[in-house]
């Protein structure tokens, strides 16, 4: 009896902490974090932050009040990616329904491998995947939610290799010839990571050239892909995987999917579309033309096996891998663990989907997208895409009106890459140290904005072009006033350089 009473009081103490902490989270990590009058980040150097946060772990527990202060401090010193002036990465802003889904997911704390422990979510994932496949244009197929775009790309490459050489699963790498992967030089670095992880080797990833403005729709791109395939064969490698990118990481550019599909089909190579960034255009009638060709179900002339297109999506920070083939994921990954996937269960065993994953325990990721979709509908998702494009057009128009701002290339998507040229460098483009000096501008402005906490934006060099900013216009909370502020702030922070 005493034990039960003790457990009850512990439980009520825990619930009290949870409800008070939740209030702090809502205030500090949601309400203040989306308030334009608050800072995007409270910058501290690592040594200072370690001391401030008192991160070391001790033998004894802390009091209720101390722990609540910990929750406040964690929120205070974390970057507010939901802030309207966070433009740093390819995720931004908050969707309140999606966030509610994430809170509920964590509270229910289940693993999406069997219907037995995740009945609602197994059925929910199936519905979301089916709906996305129909938007692409496939009446059947398969898919899985992944913990990130890199993992999705790795899955795709692994399944493609299994499709070409099924014996690799049971007999290993020694039964497979040297393999070749093809991807554009602007594609995501996870292509190399996947090749390394799967034992294909980074030197067997062939980079297809894009021209300076990333007009890969030009026939030069297709010609170089053909040439690279011929070259790989001449080196004794077997081409098996072409990766096409729908929305590159830096410039937001789209590969010519139809042309790549033609070449893949002629050569009997698996084509994967990495749409981790640009895939959201599938919702928009106005912008879906950017991914024309993604819906194709390819059939190589000389190969009796159906050829599949693996596709990866991103919406609201969800990464989803889609296939037009129904059973490849399961055949490629299943290990038939008898303690999880018993064949004599009392319900339909096909609902135990965990064996098609390379993980065992798998977080529930479908609820946040499902709840957001339920809240605003496919039309609401399409509106978000269209508004992001419209805001990008507004930003580029405003940027071009100002002296000292120069676009790197005309945006195809919602990434705007540009240089800010301080007054001291204007008109000096032909001086020998111009590029060297320009390269130092973006890092200094970035440091100043982060230490001030006014906003965050990324920068990088690319293909011989020195450091430029990459502005990502994505957050549903964004107003034109935030975009005006951004341009003003860059000027304020960089005019004296």
């Amino acid at each position: 009896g005493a034990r039960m009473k003790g457990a009850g009081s512990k439980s009520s103490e825990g619930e009290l902490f949870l409800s008070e902490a939740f209030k702090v989270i809502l205030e500090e990590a949601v309400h203040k974090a989306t308030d334009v009058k608050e800072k995007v980040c409270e910058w501290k150097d690592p040594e200072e932050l370690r001391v401030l946060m008192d991160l070391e772990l001790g033998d004894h527990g802390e009091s209720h009040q101390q722990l609540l202060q910990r929750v406040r401090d964690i929120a205070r010193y974390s970057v507010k990616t939901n802030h309207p002036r966070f433009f740093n990465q390819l995720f931004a802003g908050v969707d309140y329904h999606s966030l509610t889904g994430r809170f509920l997911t964590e509270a229910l704390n289940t693993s999406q491998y069997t219907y037995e422990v995740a009945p609602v979510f197994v059925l929910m994932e199936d519905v979301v995947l089916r709906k996305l496949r129909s938007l692409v244009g496939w009446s059947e197929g398969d898919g899985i939610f992944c913990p990130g775009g890199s993992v999705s790309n790795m899955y795709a490459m692994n399944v493609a290799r299994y499709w070409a050489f099924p014996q690799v699963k049971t007999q290993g790498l020694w039964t497979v010839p040297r393999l070749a992967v093809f991807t554009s030089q602007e594609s995501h670095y996870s292509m190399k990571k996947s090749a390394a992880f799967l034992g294909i080797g980074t030197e067997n990833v062939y980079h297809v050239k894009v021209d300076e403005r990333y007009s890969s729709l030009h026939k030069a791109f297709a010609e170089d892909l053909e040439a690279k395939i011929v070259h790989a064969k001449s080196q004794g490698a077997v081409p098996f995987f072409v990766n096409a990118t729908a929305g590159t990481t830096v410039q937001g550019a789209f590969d010519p999917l139809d042309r790549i599909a033609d070449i893949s089909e002629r050569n009997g190579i698996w084509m994967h579309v990495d749409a981790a960034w640009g895939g959201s255009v599938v919702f928009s009638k106005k912008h879906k033309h950017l991914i024309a060709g993604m819906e194709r179900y390819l059939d190589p002339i000389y190969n009796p096996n159906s050829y599949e297109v693996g596709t990866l999506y991103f919406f609201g920070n969800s990464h989803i891998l889609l296939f037009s083939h129904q059973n490849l994921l399961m055949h490629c990954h299943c290990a038939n663990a008898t303690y999880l996937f018993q064949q004599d269960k009392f319900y339909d065993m096909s609902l135990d989907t965990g064996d098609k994953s390379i993980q065992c325990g798998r977080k529930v990721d479908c609820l946040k997208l499902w709840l957001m979709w339920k809240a605003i509908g496919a039309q609401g998702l399409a509106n978000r895409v269209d508004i992001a494009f419209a805001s990008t057009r507004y930003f580029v128009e405003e940027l071009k009106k100002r002296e000292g701002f120069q676009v790197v290339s005309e945006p195809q998507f919602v990434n705007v890459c540009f240089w800010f040229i301080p007054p001291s460098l204007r008109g000096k483009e032909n001086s020998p140290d111009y590029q060297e000096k320009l390269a130092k501008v973006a890092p200094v402005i970035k440091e100043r904005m982060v230490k001030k906490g006014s906003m965050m934006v990324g920068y990088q060099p690319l293909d011989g072009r020195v450091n430029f900013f990459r502005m990502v216009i994505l957050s549903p909370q964004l107003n034109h006033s935030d975009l005006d502020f951004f341009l003003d702030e860059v000027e304020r922070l960089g005019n004296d350089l």
Side-chain angles (χ1 to χ4, degrees), residues 54-292:
D54 185 20
L55 292 170
E56 289 310 313
L57 300 165
D59 293 335
H60 303 288
E62 295 186 341
S63 73
H64 176 91
Q65 287 308 324
Q66 277 178 302
L67 292 168
L68 278 180
Q69 189 55 46
R70 299 283 183 217
V71 175
R72 276 191 199 90
D73 288 345
I74 289 165
R76 180 178 178 184
Y77 297 115
S78 291
V79 175
K80 312 304 187 294
T81 65
N82 295 332
H83 195 285
R85 291 171 186 171
F86 176 87
F87 307 104
N88 208 67
Q89 257 78 33
L90 308 184
F91 58 91
V94 63
D95 178 274
Y96 294 98
H97 299 97
S98 191
L99 181 59
T100 303
R102 179 57 93 199
F103 285 149
L104 185 53
T105 295
E106 293 302 320
L108 290 169
N109 189 36
T110 192
S111 186
Q112 184 136 357
Y113 42 46
T114 61
Y115 184 78
E116 189 176 324
V117 295
V120 173
F121 300 127
V122 164
L123 298 180
M124 186 183 287
E125 184 176 49
D126 181 59
V127 167
V128 175
L129 292 170
R130 196 159 10 99
K131 186 72 176 172
L132 285 169
R133 284 195 303 271
S134 73
L135 283 174
V136 173
W138 298 335
S139 56
E140 56 181 41
D142 199 359
I144 191 167
F145 275 74
C146 294
S150 294
V151 173
S152 299
N153 284 335
M154 189 188 74
Y155 262 108
M157 199 178 285
N158 194 43
V159 172
R161 181 175 64 180
Y162 175 79
W163 169 77
F165 301 98
Q167 70 273 25
V168 73
K169 180 178 176 180
T170 49
Q171 296 173 338
L173 289 176
W174 69 276
T175 62
V176 180
R178 179 181 163 194
L179 298 176
V181 170
F182 304 87
T183 190
S184 94
Q185 64 194 39
E186 306 271 307
S187 66
H188 194 255
Y189 70 103
S190 57
M191 281 298 127
K192 276 188 148 181
K193 288 185 112 169
S194 302
F197 185 80
L198 295 171
I200 290 161
T202 56
E203 287 181 10
N204 294 314
V205 177
Y206 292 79
H207 287 106
V208 182
K209 282 190 211 119
V210 296
D211 73 15
E212 203 172 294
R213 291 168 60 83
Y214 204 107
S215 312
S216 54
L217 298 172
H218 290 180
K219 64 180 196 292
F221 183 91
E223 283 171 4
D224 194 49
L225 175 57
E226 295 261 34
K228 290 282 196 311
I229 290 170
V230 171
H231 178 60
K233 286 178 177 173
S234 75
Q235 292 188 311
V238 175
F240 87 109
F241 187 89
V242 172
N243 174 64
T245 308
T248 58
T249 314
V250 177
Q251 299 201 74
F254 287 76
D255 285 347
L257 306 188
D258 255 328
R259 284 189 177 181
I260 295 169
D262 290 339
I263 294 165
S264 300
E265 195 159 34
R266 277 201 302 277
N267 289 278
I269 307 173
W270 176 293
M271 174 177 156
H272 169 64
V273 182
D274 175 355
W277 180 219
S280 52
V281 299
V282 79
F283 289 97
S284 166
K285 287 187 178 74
K286 197 172 176 184
H287 300 288
K288 195 177 175 180
H289 64 90
L290 287 165
I291 51 168

Side-chain angles (χ1 to χ4, degrees), residues 412-423:
Q412 285 186 13
F413 192 37
V414 296
N415 309 34
V416 184
C417 296
F418 68 92
W419 287 284
F420 175 70
I421 300 146

Side-chain angles (χ1 to χ4, degrees), residues 302-336:
Y302 60 85
N303 197 315
N305 296 320
S306 289
Y307 168 93
E308 307 314 324
V309 184
T311 309
L312 143 68
Y313 276 93
F314 176 105
F315 210 102
N317 220 359
S318 296
H319 293 82
I320 303 132
L321 184 66
L322 299 178
F323 291 92
S324 55
H325 188 292
Q326 276 180 304
N327 298 309
L328 264 180
L329 265 174
M330 184 64 89
H331 290 321
C332 179
H333 297 132
C334 70
N336 304 312

Side-chain angles (χ1 to χ4, degrees), residues 21-34 38 75:
F22 204 72
K23 284 179 200 155
V24 173
I25 291 167
L26 284 175
E27 179 59 27
E28 302 294 329
V30 180
H31 176 65
K32 278 190 188 171
T34 53
E38 297 282 338

